[in-house]
Amino acid sequence: MKKIKGIIFDVDQTLTTEVSWIKFTRLLGADPVVHQDIFQRFKDGKLTYPVAKKQLIDLWKATGKANLTTIREIFKSFEFSPDTEEVISYLKKKGYQICLISGAIDIYIETVAERLGIAEWYASTKLHFDVSGEITDFDYTLGRGEEKLKFFEKFCRKNDLSPEECAAIGDGDTDMPIFERVALPILFIAPETSAEQKRKVTTKITSLKQLLILPPIIKWLA
């Protein structure tokens, strides 16, 4: 069995405590219930992608705060899950190649990576701004699991790693494609974690500190 060299982390409800999209909308001063309704109608096929995107951008812009400076400050205020900084620091000192792969907003993931001193990160959603810094558009896809897998494959190529030399920690359905490829998939139990995921993934944790104390994990990450 190959030694684990690379560790992939999801971010929302794994390294941080809440769903970033909803928290971002709330801290911007917009109604998260309206946000959730727009997203659900898009998922259900009741809104096209362009219409749903316009409605969400209009919701954000109505606050008068949807600019790059304010958005960066909002993401800097997000709290980490307990033990995040300790665990990441420990794994970095042990020499593991750490990477963040998320379906969330690029500025958010970039901010988390900077705060934790992680050089490599990938995010599915990219925000666009005009010359004055006001938000104008964003790129998003529902197939984030497949996109995250492509990011993982890019990470492996870039760092000359095989999937069998990697572990992955995440909480949601979009992490499953990566889980199916790595040697050590670790399911972080969060409010949105499904019963099916709990059944499929053998190794489970409810706190990041368990990465350092559970025997089934330690033997891989030693």
Side-chain angles (χ1 to χ4, degrees):
M1 197 70 68
K2 293 184 178 180
K3 175 177 170 53
I4 298 296
K5 297 179 181 179
I7 304 178
I8 310 302
F9 281 93
D10 182 29
V11 178
D12 274 7
Q13 299 188 100
T14 302
L15 296 182
T16 56
T17 58
E18 298 181 60
V19 177
S20 59
W21 284 91
I22 301 304
K23 184 172 183 177
F24 163 65
T25 294
R26 185 177 74 248
L27 293 181
L28 197 63
D31 189 339
V33 175
V34 175
H35 179 148
Q36 289 175 306
D37 178 65
I38 293 169
F39 180 62
Q40 190 61 51
R41 285 187 290 141
F42 167 56
K43 284 179 63 178
D44 293 343
K46 297 177 181 179
L47 291 178
T48 64
Y49 174 61
V51 171
K53 182 163 60 171
K54 183 179 185 306
Q55 288 187 6
L56 190 53
I57 291 174
D58 287 346
L59 177 68
W60 291 337
K61 292 178 73 171
T63 67
K65 302 177 183 177
N67 58 77
L68 181 57
T69 299
T70 300
I71 289 171
R72 284 193 184 280
E73 290 305 310
I74 286 174
F75 286 137
K76 286 178 183 179
S77 74
F78 277 32
E79 295 180 358
F80 289 128
S81 299
D83 306 310
T84 291
E85 292 168 291
E86 177 187 351
V87 169
I88 295 297
S89 176
Y90 172 84
L91 294 174
K92 286 166 59 180
K93 288 177 182 177
K94 294 285 285 186
Y96 293 106
Q97 181 69 36
I98 298 174
C99 179
L100 307 182
I101 297 181
S102 172
I105 294 170
D106 56 347
I107 298 172
Y108 166 54
I109 303 306
E110 180 184 31
T111 300
V112 171
E114 288 175 351
R115 292 172 65 191
L116 294 174
I118 297 172
E120 196 157 359
W121 58 271
Y122 301 88
S124 296
T125 306
K126 180 177 178 58
L127 298 187
H128 298 279
F129 302 87
D130 63 20
V131 293
S132 66
E134 297 296 316
I135 190 168
T136 59
D137 200 358
F138 64 82
D139 302 323
Y140 177 85
T141 175
L142 276 176
R144 288 170 294 163
E146 292 75 16
E147 190 166 21
K148 289 170 79 169
L149 180 58
K150 291 179 181 178
F151 290 148
F152 171 64
E153 292 169 345
K154 182 177 180 180
F155 164 77
C156 287
R157 289 194 301 270
K158 180 179 178 181
N159 294 282
D160 194 25
L161 295 173
S162 69
E164 294 78 18
E165 293 175 307
C166 296
I169 299 96
D171 71 296
D173 289 338
T174 60
D175 300 304
M176 295 304 288
I178 293 179
F179 280 179
E180 292 170 0
R181 295 289 305 280
V182 299
L184 178 58
I186 302 170
L187 183 65
F188 190 102
I189 305 299
E192 295 183 358
T193 304
S194 69
E196 182 180 7
Q197 286 175 277
K198 294 176 184 178
R199 178 178 57 81
K200 286 184 175 181
V201 183
T202 301
T203 305
K204 308 173 186 66
I205 60 175
T206 55
S207 73
L208 289 174
K209 194 64 172 283
Q210 290 176 291
L211 293 175
L212 309 184
I213 62 176
L214 287 183
I217 299 175
I218 290 174
K219 72 178 183 179
W220 287 82
L221 300 183

